[in-house]
Amino acid sequence: MRPPREQRRAAVWGGLVTAVLAALIVAGSRNLNHFDAALVGYTFATLFAAFAITYRYSMWLQRPPTRMYWRRGWSVFLTPRFIGGNLVEAVRRLTLSFAANRFIFRRGRLRGAAHWLIMWGCVLAAAITFPLVWGWIHFETVPGRLDRYQIYLFGFPAQSFAVHSVIGFVIFHGLVWSALLVIAGVMLAFRRRMVDHAAVSLQQFAQDVMPLLLLFAISVTGLMLTASYTWMKGYAYDFLAILHAITVILTLLYLPFGKLFHIFQRPAQIGVSFYKDAGSREPAARCRRCGMAYAPAMMVRDLIGVERDLGFAYEMDAADGAAHYQEICPRCRRAMFGLAQAGAWSEGLTARLAGDKD
Amino acid sequence: MAKPAELHFFIDPNRCIGCQACVQACTECDTHRGESMIHLEFIDRAASTQTVPVVCMHCEQPTCAEVCPADAIKRTGDGVVQSARKPRCIACGNCVVACPFGVPELYEDRQIMMKCDMCYDRTSVGKKPMCATVCPSQALFFGTLDQIGQLRPLSEPVNQFRFGHQVISTRVFMMMPGGLVGHRPLVDVTAAMQDRPRERAIRLTPATTDPFSQVEV
């Protein structure tokens, strides 16, 4: 049987992105000249992750509410009249929300600190390892200067630095710093998951605990590699290298399926904020029952469309023609909930009293 | 851990005396500590003392979850619709506008939607939700169908609600008059569109029948 259209479309997008990444690996490593064969396992894991993440992202975008926000978000962001202000605002919101994690710190200081440490540790590690794995970055000694290294990015020479310098030390130990950040964040997150009653009752192993274990395993085995070659004359280095590779590859395989997929979903928050900006410039929808403003009219219109796409039938027969339940504000919905019960009891009591009289 | 299957939530707004105990107790729950997730609504405060406590009804097919663009709202196997998953919620507010019962709340500063989750840290270990624990009139009751049947022999728990042409089934029950349920096994919420609460003025017309003869205690 042929898979549904959504799945075929998602598979095509997944295949396309994987093919582009593979082509970029070949181009960036200059026909694999700078590709490290020892990292081939990582490369295939990243290619698989690219396919699966794109597939899931595409499936996600095809859900009616997501599709609506995706289209509307880009449409309002790219409106020529507001594009300049939107670009400035996008930078500000990206900085506050993503670089500083402001909204997560507001949920809790320790929670914010844990996320911030894990996030920046992972960002730093990804910025180093992915280009290395794909052969997009490599180091060569400067001809005639054995004490200097030249960085090549995508095959083009970039900055050079002294091997035995502070910069050299910082660059060569980049993954150590990232591991320390991640371990500190994971410790804080695990502490919360052990003592917080809410977290204990809601957490699921595969969704909430597994990613922390994986990140911890990557960081610890990575640090053990450094410890092995720095202080232990390479003791058990091959074993540790394989162990580290297994943890990284497992995480890459887990990336599209579990909690870490929020890395790719989360930027939608910025699109939603511009959609809200556009909605606030329009007149608000007024409740059909109480007449009070309760939501942007654009949002209510779009939501009615989404609900119809999903098969909901909240249409009502009103005295003045067709109406929709979404045109009633949440407060009136709650009031009607109580009134419906009270009305039924009054009706019942009246019927009983009438019965008594008969 | 999951909510025991034999325990259910029953809501009986007619019994609500508007004491706000549920509102205060709700803030104590660990899953939304400091924030009350229950709505205690005065239907028309100027004209009536009628109040209605509204908790999440935990729909079988939750509209909030269906319209969530981030796929952040999940229903656990025991039928409890949880608050938005924090890593996913993008604070769009779709759930707030879409919920037929008007339950979810959006916290823009934290970029998160929160709602009544039936005090999951408590119910998942067999305890009552905070609101049902403190409700003095048992407008909010948590127990078995047998228990509520013994307590309210004239009432019938109903968990089907009509909104326009849409019928929604829920895990939480509303207590409705027993005799009517056979004819109309659902609560028609939109039929109450034009209803207004009873006036609080006290009528001094003597009753012809004993008004307490049908009252449950």
Side-chain angles (χ1 to χ4, degrees), chain A residues 70-230:
Chain A
W70 173 260
R71 288 177 181 167
R72 284 285 203 182
W74 281 112
S75 160
V76 297
F77 182 78
L78 299 172
T79 305
R81 194 174 153 204
F82 300 107
I83 182 74
N86 284 348
L87 282 169
V88 174
E89 196 55 29
V91 172
R92 193 183 77 85
R93 289 175 190 178
L94 282 167
T95 307
L96 288 173
S97 294
F98 296 141
N101 282 181
R102 185 172 68 168
F103 68 99
I104 306 178
F105 275 97
R106 284 174 175 167
R107 293 175 183 175
R109 271 179 294 177
L110 277 179
R111 184 184 202 119
H115 189 272
W116 193 88
L117 289 165
I118 293 173
M119 184 196 79
W120 278 111
C122 290
V123 167
L124 182 60
I128 295 168
T129 49
F130 284 111
L132 278 175
V133 164
W134 294 333
W136 290 358
I137 186 169
H138 73 280
F139 302 92
E140 287 181 14
T141 46
V142 176
R145 293 287 308 272
L146 292 176
D147 60 334
R148 288 193 76 78
Y149 264 159
Q150 174 77 53
I151 303 174
Y152 285 84
L153 280 175
F154 226 72
F156 299 105
Q159 197 182 348
S160 67
F161 61 91
V163 175
H164 300 291
S165 64
V166 174
I167 292 177
F169 183 80
V170 169
I171 289 176
F172 284 132
H173 292 82
L175 289 175
V176 171
W177 317 133
S178 67
L180 293 175
L181 287 172
V182 170
I183 288 172
V186 167
M187 290 292 107
L188 288 175
F190 259 128
R191 182 189 172 278
R192 193 180 74 80
R193 295 212 163 272
M194 285 190 284
V195 301
D196 186 305
H197 290 178
V200 169
S201 68
L202 292 167
Q203 68 197 2
Q204 298 165 341
F205 180 81
Q207 278 293 322
D208 302 307
V209 179
M210 175 89 108
L212 291 176
L213 287 175
L214 286 169
L215 293 175
F216 183 74
I218 291 175
S219 305
V220 168
T221 53
L223 286 180
M224 286 162 79
L225 280 172
T226 306
S228 170
Y229 69 69
T230 308

Side-chain angles (χ1 to χ4, degrees), chain A residues 65 68-69 299 303 306, chain B residues 64 67-69 91-99:
Chain A
M68 185 278 285
Y69 269 109
M299 183 186 186
L303 195 53
V306 165
Chain B
C64 59
V67 302
C68 175
C92 65
N94 259 13
C95 51
V96 176
V97 182
C99 172

